[in-house]
Amino acid sequence: MKTMRKALFFGGGCLAVATALSMIATSQPSAAPQEAKHEWEIHDRNRPLPPVITPGTASTQERAGNPPSDAIVLFNGTDLSNWESVKGGPAKWKVGGGFFETAAQTGDIQTKQAFGDCQLHVEWAAPDPPHGEDQDRGNSGVFLHGLYEIQVLDSYKNVTYADGQAAAVYGQHPPLVNATRPPGQWQTYDIIFHGPRFEAGGKLLRPAYVTVIHNGVLVQDHVAPTGPTGHHVRPPYHPTPEKLPLRLQDHNHPVRYRNIWIRELAEGGK
Ligand code: MG
């Protein structure tokens, strides 16, 4: 800690009693920071370089952007070949105009491929003009691992319960802010998801973790779901595989989706 002793002035004369910069030692010298043990030497040029990819481009309201070059594209605007109905058989949602749309009463759809920890990009738009209110307005959902719902809802000037609005971990964690755009406008979810881990005997080792960015705004900051999504219930975790399909919810509202891509993540980002 640095302290400066100021000169003192008396009457007409100037008596500098002390004018000095002093170093006042802290009572306890601070301990040298412990250097973390590391697999590699600092700036080690033998350390493998990260893969080079081509980043994507941002979407506009008029046009979907491009995914990064290492993403798995789940919907490119033309067909639902990467999806199936959770009831079995092909996905029956409507495709056209570069997007697909929930077809009421046809049921949820899920990816044919299963995914583990991931970065997920989804774009959606609520019906315009809006119909209904509360939960009955532009309702759908992105189910991570098919179990943990990030709510899709028209939450633009539409009040519902906090843990049920757009970008909520449904029934568990409200979003930090309501960043919802008006109905009819395209909105983005960028999600980072780490699935739960279980011991061999099925005991929960650690919960899932999810981070959500809604329209560029952080709304879920590494929160832990309490378990799979329920309605009026918070079920506990049950042992699940490390990879499961991604599911989208049919809530009988014609919600639109476009530009869906995913990047699987290795544990610890390695
Ligand atoms: Mg929903």
Side-chain angles (χ1 to χ4, degrees):
M1 179 184 293
K2 281 184 179 176
T3 300
M4 187 170 69
R5 285 186 185 154
K6 293 179 180 174
L8 300 178
F9 296 87
F10 296 98
C14 174
L15 178 61
V17 176
T19 174
L21 285 172
S22 308
M23 291 293 293
I24 307 299
T26 51
S27 56
Q28 292 289 328
S30 59
Q34 290 284 324
E35 186 143 334
K37 287 192 175 176
H38 208 284
E39 186 181 350
W40 297 93
E41 294 297 325
I42 188 166
H43 307 322
D44 191 336
R45 288 189 181 269
N46 292 316
R47 192 172 187 177
L49 294 169
V52 175
I53 67 152
T54 304
T57 56
S59 295
T60 64
Q61 287 299 322
E62 294 73 30
R63 191 173 177 278
N66 296 315
S69 60
D70 63 344
I72 297 169
V73 176
L74 296 176
F75 179 69
N76 63 5
T78 57
D79 62 68
L80 286 172
S81 57
N82 293 319
W83 300 78
E84 62 189 3
S85 169
V86 295
K87 298 175 181 173
K92 291 179 178 154
W93 292 14
K94 298 178 221 166
V95 182
F99 58 86
F100 66 88
E101 185 177 288
T102 309
Q105 307 291 342
T106 60
D108 294 359
I109 63 171
Q110 67 182 15
T111 54
K112 292 177 180 173
Q113 188 175 340
F115 301 101
D117 300 350
C118 64
Q119 175 189 357
L120 172 67
H121 178 87
V122 176
E123 299 182 19
W124 60 274
D128 182 29
H131 299 282
E133 58 184 19
D134 204 318
Q135 289 288 299
D136 190 31
R137 178 155 145 172
N139 196 332
S140 182
V142 176
F143 278 74
L144 304 162
H145 264 188
L147 293 170
Y148 314 98
E149 183 184 16
I150 307 304
Q151 173 71 307
V152 169
L153 191 81
D154 180 2
S155 288
Y156 184 80
K157 297 181 180 176
N158 174 43
V159 175
T160 187
Y161 40 89
D163 62 11
Q165 68 178 67
V169 178
Y170 186 78
Q172 301 177 14
H173 300 289
L176 295 170
V177 293
N178 181 352
T180 311
R181 290 198 171 116
Q185 291 194 18
W186 286 105
Q187 318 204 33
T188 57
Y189 280 171
D190 287 286
I191 299 170
I192 298 162
F193 174 69
H194 293 270
R197 297 291 189 273
F198 300 90
E199 293 176 356
K203 187 181 170 199
L204 182 68
L205 203 57
R206 67 158 174 79
Y209 289 104
V210 63
T211 296
V212 180
I213 295 171
H214 183 191
N215 294 329
V217 179
L218 180 67
V219 290
Q220 299 286 355
D221 187 5
H222 196 65
V223 299
T226 57
T229 299
H231 187 53
H232 290 293
V233 64
R234 288 178 179 152
Y237 283 94
H238 60 273
T240 47
E242 287 201 8
K243 294 193 178 195
L244 286 164
L246 173 72
R247 183 157 63 97
L248 298 177
Q249 183 186 45
D250 167 20
H251 205 285
N252 295 329
H253 297 164
V255 174
R256 294 176 175 177
Y257 289 93
R258 74 174 186 187
N259 195 23
I260 304 177
W261 51 261
I262 194 166
R263 298 176 65 248
E264 280 202 280
L265 305 174
E267 180 73 34
K270 290 180 183 174

